[in-house]
């Protein structure tokens, strides 16, 4: 993977010296292409074999949707980048035991979906399509990029009574900065990528709110938030979780874990328990944003 990134970096930077427009378009395309596609784990196969599976067409590609239960009291689970719906499998049994239906999906370019790429617009359209079919969500539980995609959809009219973000991205600009930093892209090329993002993804947003940030969803969302992030997350900085919690203030509760990283956090019993309790009962305290440690192995 490191060698691939080195080659891509050299190619884009070299192209940018010859044709800035071509390099900018190339960077924009690559930005939306996962470099790896996660496979379903053996521990996830039985549960997902029991799911009701459908396809949902989005932008000419087919997302794969999974549902357990009758569709009543639906809870939506949203995966992150280079991931898939099955990575949130540990939340499904407890939600079903509490009388919820559970819905998740593989976005284009991920899991068993078609396509090689996806965008935040496709996340929004998939989530919107699922609400059109199942109605208002009792809760949305989202990981990593899925958190930002979910909040984008919620700002666009999707309804949820409770929102959970785990290792979540708060600012779309954070993704751009991390992408450009990882590839060592020249400043001029980063600026072109920003322009492509503003034009293609967020043409309706005011210039001072482009690219999209979850901070700007505060006036539109009234549901309580549970925000969980690990202090040593090397993929998405814990400061993204703190920034989201600070923006929502008394509307949110922040849990900082230790030793769980970006992905193992999804299977931690303490995290799973906290999410299940929040989905079922909502905030258990009226205090403002608070920090506490969840269990870690």
């Amino acid at each position: 993977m490191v060698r691939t990134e080195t080659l891509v970096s050299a190619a884009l930077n070299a192209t940018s010296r010859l044709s800035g427009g071509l390099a900018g378009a190339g960077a924009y395309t690559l930005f939306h292409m996962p470099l790896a596609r996660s496979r379903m784990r053996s521990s996830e196969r039985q549960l997902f074999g029991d799911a009701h599976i459908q396809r949902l067409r989005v932008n000419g590609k087919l997302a794969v949707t999974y549902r357990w239960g009758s569709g009543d009291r639906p809870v939506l689970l949203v995966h992150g980048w280079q991931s898939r719906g099955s990575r949130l499998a540990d939340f499904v049994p407890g939600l079903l035991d509490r009388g919820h239906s559970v819905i998740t999906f593989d976005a284009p370019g991920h899991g068993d979906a078609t396509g090689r790429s996806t965008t935040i617009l496709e996340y929004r359209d998939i989530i919107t399509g699922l609400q059109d079919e199942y109605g208002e969500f009792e809760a949305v539980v989202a990981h990593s990029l899925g958190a930002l995609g979910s909040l984008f959809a919620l700002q666009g009219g999707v309804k949820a009574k409770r929102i959970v973000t785990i290792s979540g991205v708060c600012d779309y600009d954070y993704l751009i900065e991390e992408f450009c930093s990882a590839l060592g892209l020249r400043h001029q090329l980063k600026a072109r990528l920003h322009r492509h993002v503003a034009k293609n993804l967020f043409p309706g947003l005011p210039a001072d709110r482009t690219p999209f940030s979850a901070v700007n969803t505060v006036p539109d969302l009234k549901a309580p938030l549970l925000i969980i992030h690990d202090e040593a997350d090397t993929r998405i900085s814990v400061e993204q979780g703190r920034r989201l919690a600070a923006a929502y203030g008394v509307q949110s509760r922040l849990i900082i874990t230790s030793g769980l990283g970006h992905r193992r956090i999804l299977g931690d019993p303490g995290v799973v328990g906290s999410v299940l309790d929040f989905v079922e009962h909502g905030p258990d305290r009226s205090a403002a944003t608070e920090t506490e440690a969840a269990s870690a192995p």
Side-chain angles (χ1 to χ4, degrees), residues 108-123:
H110 295 75
D112 292 334
T114 66
R116 295 186 60 198
S117 65
T118 196
T119 68
I120 194 172
L121 301 182
E122 292 175 352
Y123 266 77

Side-chain angles (χ1 to χ4, degrees), residues 190-266:
K190 181 169 72 172
R192 285 186 176 274
L193 177 57
H194 268 278
R195 289 197 288 273
H196 276 280
V197 165
K199 177 183 177 182
N200 295 310
L201 299 184
F202 310 115
L205 289 183
D208 63 345
R209 292 195 173 190
T210 300
F212 173 74
S213 171
V215 166
N216 296 325
T217 65
V218 175
D220 303 310
L221 302 185
K222 308 305 179 186
L225 278 77
L226 175 63
I227 301 162
I228 306 177
H229 217 115
D230 194 78
E231 62 183 1
D233 190 329
T234 58
R235 181 65 175 165
I236 304 297
S237 170
V238 67
E239 294 308 317
Q240 284 285 286
R242 290 191 173 114
R243 177 167 157 77
L244 183 61
Y248 275 87
V250 296
Q251 195 175 334
S252 70
R253 178 184 175 201
L254 174 65
I255 296 178
I256 303 294
T257 64
S258 178
L260 298 178
H262 186 67
R263 299 189 186 278
R264 286 196 302 120
I265 195 170
L266 291 175

Side-chain angles (χ1 to χ4, degrees), residues 116-294:
R116 295 186 60 198
S117 65
T118 196
T119 68
I120 194 172
L121 301 182
E122 292 175 352
Y123 266 77
R124 179 199 62 191
D125 292 346
I126 293 167
I127 294 170
T128 301
L130 290 171
Q131 180 176 260
D132 289 343
E133 183 169 358
Y134 298 108
E136 179 179 349
F137 298 115
E138 289 286 309
V140 173
V141 180
H143 179 241
S144 193
L145 172 66
L148 193 66
S150 298
L151 288 163
F152 187 55
L154 288 161
Q155 187 188 48
V158 169
K159 302 295 184 185
K161 296 178 181 177
R162 297 182 178 92
I163 304 164
V164 180
T165 70
I166 305 172
S167 310
V169 180
C170 178
D171 306 298
Y172 199 89
D173 191 57
Y174 178 87
L175 300 174
I176 297 175
E177 292 295 327
E178 289 295 303
F179 174 79
C180 292
S181 176
L183 293 182
L185 300 186
R186 301 171 64 228
H187 175 74
Q188 295 89 334
L189 188 48
K190 181 169 72 172
R192 285 186 176 274
L193 177 57
H194 268 278
R195 289 197 288 273
H196 276 280
V197 165
K199 177 183 177 182
N200 295 310
L201 299 184
F202 310 115
L205 289 183
D208 63 345
R209 292 195 173 190
T210 300
F212 173 74
S213 171
V215 166
N216 296 325
T217 65
V218 175
D220 303 310
L221 302 185
K222 308 305 179 186
L225 278 77
L226 175 63
I227 301 162
I228 306 177
H229 217 115
D230 194 78
E231 62 183 1
D233 190 329
T234 58
R235 181 65 175 165
I236 304 297
S237 170
V238 67
E239 294 308 317
Q240 284 285 286
R242 290 191 173 114
R243 177 167 157 77
L244 183 61
Y248 275 87
V250 296
Q251 195 175 334
S252 70
R253 178 184 175 201
L254 174 65
I255 296 178
I256 303 294
T257 64
S258 178
L260 298 178
H262 186 67
R263 299 189 186 278
R264 286 196 302 120
I265 195 170
L266 291 175
D268 177 73
V271 170
V272 173
S274 293
V275 171
L276 293 177
D277 287 345
F278 180 81
V279 169
E280 187 65 15
H281 304 294
D284 57 3
R285 275 165 270 187
S286 60
T289 301
E290 61 184 73
T291 303
E292 59 186 59

